Amino acid sequence: IVFALLFGLAIASLGEKGKPMARFIESGNMVIMQIMELIMKLAPIGLGCYFASIIAQLGTQVLTGYMRMLLLFCALTLLVYFVLFPLCIYFVCGKNQLKLFFKHILSPSLTALATCSSSACMPINIISCKQMEVKDEIAETVIPLGTNLFKIGSIMNGVLKVIFAMALVGMSYESLSAGTIVVLLAFLSATVVGAIPSGGMTGEIFICALLGIDPQLVGVLMVVATIVDIPATLLNSIGNITATTLINKLTDKKS
């Protein structure tokens, strides 16, 4: 992030001399996005084939495990969305802010559910924060940073994937030390997750590498990440709005 900031400032400060580099970066970005588009179109085919192979090897009981995880994650999502976030708003910002919160989170929620992309939610999140009487400079600063750094849904997703991976290889996760490892790995894996559709897939290799388990389990964890990507993105988006609202209130108190 720091390097990107310095690089962008350097290009902008050069004026006309920096435009060739800016055009090169823009062109490179278009090429990368085209590659990602091709991968996103082809990946479901490969993932479907791999999933069919896993079911053939492990049996249909794996579907029961996936279904339980999905139901558990959805239940936790509802708890955080309708209880934890509103409580934070209520105790820090008050009843009036809570009313504004529920009034203006519908559009960001629908955008998150439709796109599965935290980045795609940034514009509507900023607009919603401003409608909730958050200062423009805070909304336009905290939301972009939070999209990449504060991802509560991705962390919950990471906990689920780490526990699932440990259970598959017979590793114990019930002790205090194992629980600490689960939380640490989930947090670290969330920091390498991109804010793009199915961006959580980049954390699977990271988890397998740190746990020292068979890299072939990446495909199994990718399925876990895929089925909970929608509620995870929802929590990422609304979590950023909640954090921005709290920061706005705390900043007012200090001033």
Side-chain angles (χ1 to χ4, degrees):
I1 294 175
V2 174
F3 178 78
L5 178 62
L6 293 175
F7 197 74
L9 290 174
I11 293 176
S13 64
L14 288 174
E16 290 293 330
K17 294 182 179 179
K19 285 187 177 180
M21 177 59 72
R23 287 194 294 268
F24 173 77
I25 294 175
E26 183 179 3
S27 177
N29 180 67
M30 293 176 63
V31 171
I32 295 299
M33 292 305 296
Q34 184 64 27
I35 293 176
M36 291 301 300
E37 183 177 349
L38 293 174
I39 292 176
M40 293 296 290
K41 290 180 179 179
L42 297 175
I45 300 175
L47 183 60
C49 294
Y50 186 86
F51 191 46
S53 175
I54 291 295
I55 294 179
Q57 296 175 24
L58 302 180
T60 56
Q61 67 270 19
V62 71
L63 294 177
T64 304
Y66 286 138
M67 182 58 65
R68 289 177 178 176
M69 284 188 297
L70 177 60
L71 294 176
L72 173 62
F73 200 93
C74 289
L76 292 175
T77 298
L78 293 176
L79 178 65
V80 175
Y81 187 95
F82 288 106
V83 179
L84 180 59
F85 289 158
L87 284 178
C88 291
I89 297 291
Y90 178 78
F91 285 114
V92 177
C93 304
K95 186 177 181 179
N96 292 332
Q97 191 66 46
L98 181 61
K99 292 180 179 178
L100 291 175
F101 176 76
F102 279 115
K103 182 178 179 181
H104 297 293
I105 61 171
L106 179 59
S107 294
S109 299
L110 294 177
T111 303
L113 294 174
T115 63
C116 295
S117 169
S118 299
S119 292
C121 295
M122 273 198 293
I124 189 63
N125 283 357
I126 292 175
I127 293 173
S128 296
C129 284
K130 292 179 179 179
Q131 292 173 339
M132 293 168 60
E133 301 178 355
V134 174
K135 296 177 182 177
D136 290 0
E137 58 270 22
I138 292 180
E140 294 171 0
T141 301
V142 177
I143 290 295
L145 287 175
T147 299
N148 293 285
L149 300 178
F150 180 69
K151 293 173 285 194
I152 184 172
S154 297
I155 293 176
M156 290 173 57
N157 188 1
V159 170
L160 195 65
K161 289 186 292 187
V162 174
I163 292 179
F164 190 72
M166 296 175 73
L168 283 178
V169 298
M171 297 175 62
S172 174
Y173 53 84
E174 297 179 355
S175 64
L176 179 60
S177 59
T180 303
I181 293 175
V182 169
V183 174
L184 181 60
L185 278 179
F187 179 78
L188 292 177
S189 65
T191 61
V192 301
V193 170
I196 58 175
S198 299
M201 293 182 181
T202 57
E204 275 70 85
I205 297 177
F206 183 80
I207 292 174
C208 290
L210 290 186
L211 287 179
I213 61 179
D214 192 346
Q216 291 186 0
L217 290 176
V218 168
V220 179
L221 298 182
M222 285 172 63
V223 176
V224 177
T226 301
I227 61 178
V228 300
D229 193 36
I230 293 177
T233 304
L234 175 64
L235 292 182
N236 288 343
S237 176
I238 306 305
N240 283 327
I241 293 177
T242 303
T244 304
T245 306
L246 298 181
I247 291 173
N248 181 73
K249 183 63 176 180
L250 296 175
T251 303
D252 284 341
K253 287 182 178 180
K254 290 183 178 180
S255 60

